[in-house]
Every structure is written in structure tokens, then in C-alpha cells.
Amino acid sequence: MRSYRIAVIPGDGVGKEVIPAGQRVLEAAVAGRAKLDWQVFPWGSDYYRETGSMMPADGVEQLRQFDAIYLGAVGDPPRIPDHITLWGLILPIRKALDLYVNVRPVRLLPGVRGPLRDKGPADIDMIFIRENTEGEYAGVGGRVHVGTPHEVAIETAVFSRFNVERVVRYAFELARGRRKHLTSVTKSNAQRYGMTFWDDVVTAVARDYPDVTVTSLLVDAAAALLVRAPERFDVVVASNLFADILTDLGGAIMGSLGLAPSANLAAQPGVPSLFEPVHGSAPDIAGKGIANPIGTIWAGAMMLEHLGEREAAQRVLAALERLTAEGQVLTPDMGGSATTEQVAERVVALLT
Ligand code: NAD
Ligand code: IPM
Ligand code: MN
């Protein structure tokens, strides 16, 4: 039987609730066909309180031994500042493993009443391709004269040709296999170096994809259009920060942030990719057992697909669609009263 080694990092808050739900569904989906060999790592904010770091110094090297990584969420505000937790776990993993694209589907599942009253599943069906290792998240900058009236803080965005080109190319390839429409989102009217460079790379790569129509939007206008006319979007490529913001908006138009999945894909073969929901540790609902596990389960389906278990992945997605279509067992964020575990149990029952 095929066997996959999966590193599991539940992390903080609702991450510890949605990950077991995801594992349960994935186990059921591959039962009898493949074995998921999970290894759980207790890294995150509790680990930080015990050891002074979010993961061991060789954490990334440990992760390299696995076929994939399944992560919940990280962050324990206000107890630990977010820039410490996030720069201690998820961001260094994305960078060190060179998880260069972050694939984030935004899709209205059947039966879900999203906030956009006149839009149905045919209107909301897009995939964001997020640059995932540099841009506004490059980590280049500093603070000097700290605490004085002369204090200066600098945070520099970094756009490299090597990186932007491979991310844009990924987006064009994806668009070619879908509705052949790519939207590139920048802010070249105000940011005249990095963003105009991004536009130039898109124009150059577009020459290799004459069959794909390209629309270039400014990020402010893109935000408004996502609400007004989501049907105009198919594949969307954007910088690290812009796609971060727009995919929370994407989660909202899907009906809940708890529904949105993501795949952080490794550039090099043999390096594990990382699969996680788009949402964070949701401290406002953590510990209540009511977090929506659908985004995490869906991310798990993306992981199965990536591992080559396409049929099992499709069965998980079909079960999620049946779950939302029947609309009986849903968590409170979707207007239901079910617990995280009850949703997982129902998804397992709907696997055929
Ligand atoms: P959040 O995504 O955790 O929560 C935003 C809102 O969405 C909250 O009202 C929350 O209750 C709701 N929500 C989120 N996930 C849900 C789910 N599965 N089911 C139902 N409702 C859900 O964002 P935030 O509050 O800004 O951030 C909380 C912490 O998470 C911060 O420390 C932040 O830095 C961190 N964060 C981590 C990740 C990650 O690990 N990848 C992603 C985003 C935010
Ligand atoms: C996400 C999160 C992270 C990001 C944070 C927690 C650093 O919001 O995965 O969307 O911005 O990448
Ligand atoms: Mn985010």
C-alpha cells in the first residue's frame, strides 16, 4: 500500500481543533488504498513559552524529511506579539523550504448563502496565486533611534525577476487549464518600482501564453470588483501582501473565512509542500469546539491531490459539496449549530 509521511503542526488556537478534524476525514478518504503516516509536532506558542522559540533550531531540517506538511494556525495575541510567533514558525518555513506559490481557491460551495445576494457558485469560482516568499514580506528593514522622537522604521518590499517570473508563469499555466483569463493585481500608480517591475514581468511572460487574456487591475479597484462582479475573476496573481488581503475578502465572499483553503507549494521536487487553511488561530472562538473545519479539510484534499491521491482528493471535495448542499450540519459561522467534530463526522459519512 502507498504510504505518505506527513508532518502535522496543529499550532495555536483553533488550529488544534480543525487539524484533528481534517486528519479524521483524510484517514477515511484513503482507507484501504493508502496509509497516512502522521507525525505531530507540538510547535507554536505553548512551545515558545516552554523553550523560548516557536520551533527547534533544526525544525525546518526535520520537516524536509516528510512528503507534506499539514498546518493549523499560528498566533496567540495578545500574549505573544504576532511578529514573534509568525516570524518564528510559518514565515521562516515558507522561505526556507522555498514554498514559492500559495494557491488559494475562492469558490462558493453549493447551498452556501454568501454575503453577495445575487451571486451563485457559477459567479464565485477563482484561484489566487500568491507570491509567497518575498515582496512586502521580505523582512528587509529595521528600526533605529527606537523610542525617541527621531525614531525611523523602514520596511522594504523586494521583487526579484527570478521569483516574480516563476510565480507569474505558474499562474499563466493554471489559467491555460481553466477559463484562460488571468488578472494581475498591482498598485503601479503609487508604487513605481516594484509594482511596475511586476507589470513588466507579466507583459513579458504573457508573450508565451497568447491564448490567455490578461487583465491588469490596481488593488483598490480589484477589492471593489471582487464584491461587485466576482465572475470577472478566474486566475488572479498578486504579491504576497495584496493576495493575503484579497484572500480574506475571498473567504468572506465564500460565506466564511473558515471555508478557505491554501497550498504552499515547494519549488523543488523532494521538498515538502505545506497545506493549511487561510484563516488564523481565531482566539475569539478558540477552545469552544465550534471552529469551521471545512477550510482545513479542503486544504487536506489539496494535499492528497498533490501527493498523487487524486481520486481520494476528489471524494473529499465531493463530500464537502454534499455537506454544504444539504446544509444540515454546519458550524455557527455558517449559521448552523454544529461542532467542529460533528462536521468532520458528517463529511466522513458523506464520503462515497
Ligand atoms: P483569524 O483568521 O484568526 O480570525 C478572523 C475572524 O474569522 C475571527 O472572527 C474568527 O473567529 C473567524 N474565523 C477564523 N477561522 C475560523 C474558523 N475556522 N471557523 C469559524 N470562524 C473562523 O484572524 P485574526 O483574528 O486576525 O488573527 C488571529 C491570529 O491568527 C493572529 O495571531 C494572526 O497573526 C494569526 N494568523 C495566523 C495565520 C496562519 O497561521 N496561517 C493566518 C492568519 C492569521
Ligand atoms: C496567511 C496569514 C499569514 C500571512 C500571517 C499570519 C503571517 O495571514 O497565511 O494568510 O499573511 O501570510
Ligand atoms: Mn492572511
Side-chain angles (χ1 to χ4, degrees):
M1 202 189 298
R2 294 178 300 276
S3 176
Y4 304 99
R5 294 194 66 208
I6 301 173
V8 184
I9 310 175
D12 300 327
V14 298
K16 293 180 180 160
E17 302 167 32
V18 291
I19 282 289
Q23 287 179 276
R24 183 173 169 188
V25 172
L26 300 187
E27 282 281 351
V30 302
R33 305 150 194 249
K35 184 174 178 320
L36 302 176
D37 180 7
W38 311 101
Q39 185 169 332
V40 180
F41 292 90
W43 302 344
S45 295
D46 290 337
Y47 189 89
Y48 178 85
R49 276 183 279 269
E50 282 164 30
T51 67
S53 50
M54 292 291 288
M55 63 175 168
D58 68 346
V60 170
E61 291 320 304
Q62 291 188 43
L63 294 176
R64 273 187 203 282
Q65 315 306 317
F66 290 82
D67 296 314
I69 306 163
Y70 197 34
L71 184 139
V74 183
D76 191 9
R79 283 173 285 275
I80 311 176
D82 274 346
H83 67 274
I84 292 180
T85 49
L86 280 312
W87 277 97
L89 196 47
I90 181 71
L91 295 174
I93 294 173
R94 287 179 184 161
K95 284 172 201 284
L97 295 180
D98 196 18
L99 308 181
Y100 75 124
V101 293
N102 193 320
V103 180
R104 296 186 157 192
V106 170
R107 190 148 80 75
L108 188 65
L109 295 177
V112 177
R113 268 194 58 206
L116 305 185
R117 123 188 119 219
D118 300 327
K119 305 295 176 186
D123 302 307
I124 303 175
D125 179 9
M126 66 195 87
I127 301 188
F128 275 82
I129 300 305
R130 172 184 182 186
E131 191 287 304
N132 211 33
T133 58
E134 55 172 37
E136 306 88 343
Y137 286 39
V140 176
R143 286 171 67 167
V144 292
H145 310 307
V146 176
T148 74
H150 307 284
E151 182 162 2
V152 175
I154 294 176
E155 184 104 35
T156 304
V158 173
F159 296 95
S160 66
R161 184 174 295 279
F162 172 76
N163 195 43
V164 176
E165 184 170 333
R166 64 182 176 164
V167 171
V168 166
R169 208 166 271 286
Y170 185 96
F172 269 106
E173 287 290 334
L174 186 67
R176 184 168 261 178
R178 288 177 47 102
R179 303 197 298 274
K180 298 188 173 25
H181 181 216
L182 178 69
T183 303
S184 169
V185 178
T186 56
K187 186 68 189 174
S188 317
N189 51 355
Q191 301 196 300
R192 57 189 168 157
Y193 307 117
M195 291 289 157
T196 55
F197 169 71
W198 179 292
D199 291 342
D200 288 349
V201 171
V202 170
T203 304
V205 176
R207 287 187 202 113
D208 294 339
Y209 299 85
D211 49 326
V212 175
T213 310
V214 181
T215 302
S216 196
L217 290 180
L218 298 167
V219 65
D220 44 357
L225 198 62
L226 265 170
V227 172
R228 198 168 59 75
E231 65 278 7
R232 302 256 200 102
F233 296 87
D234 177 13
V235 176
V236 190
V237 65
S239 68
N240 214 331
L241 179 63
F242 291 174
D244 175 49
I245 298 167
L246 293 177
T247 50
D248 261 36
L249 178 54
I253 67 175
M254 288 166 78
S256 169
L257 188 45
L259 295 169
S262 87
N264 301 254
L265 300 183
Q268 296 303 321
V271 175
S273 294
L274 184 153
F275 301 82
E276 58 176 341
V278 168
H279 66 75
S281 55
D284 54 338
I285 57 163
K288 297 184 178 159
I290 54 160
N292 191 339
I294 293 179
T296 305
I297 296 169
W298 190 341
M302 293 171 84
M303 178 167 77
L304 291 182
E305 166 115 35
H306 188 76
L307 290 169
E309 297 295 330
R310 166 167 279 235
E311 200 209 321
Q314 282 169 351
R315 287 170 56 238
V316 172
L317 259 189
L320 289 178
E321 289 177 347
R322 278 187 214 114
L323 176 91
T324 58
E326 70 176 13
Q328 298 296 317
V329 185
L330 300 172
T331 44
D333 55 305
M334 295 181 73
S337 57
T339 64
T340 310
E341 282 179 9
Q342 286 167 339
V343 171
E345 189 184 328
R346 187 70 195 143
V347 177
V348 169
L350 290 170
L351 285 169
T352 53

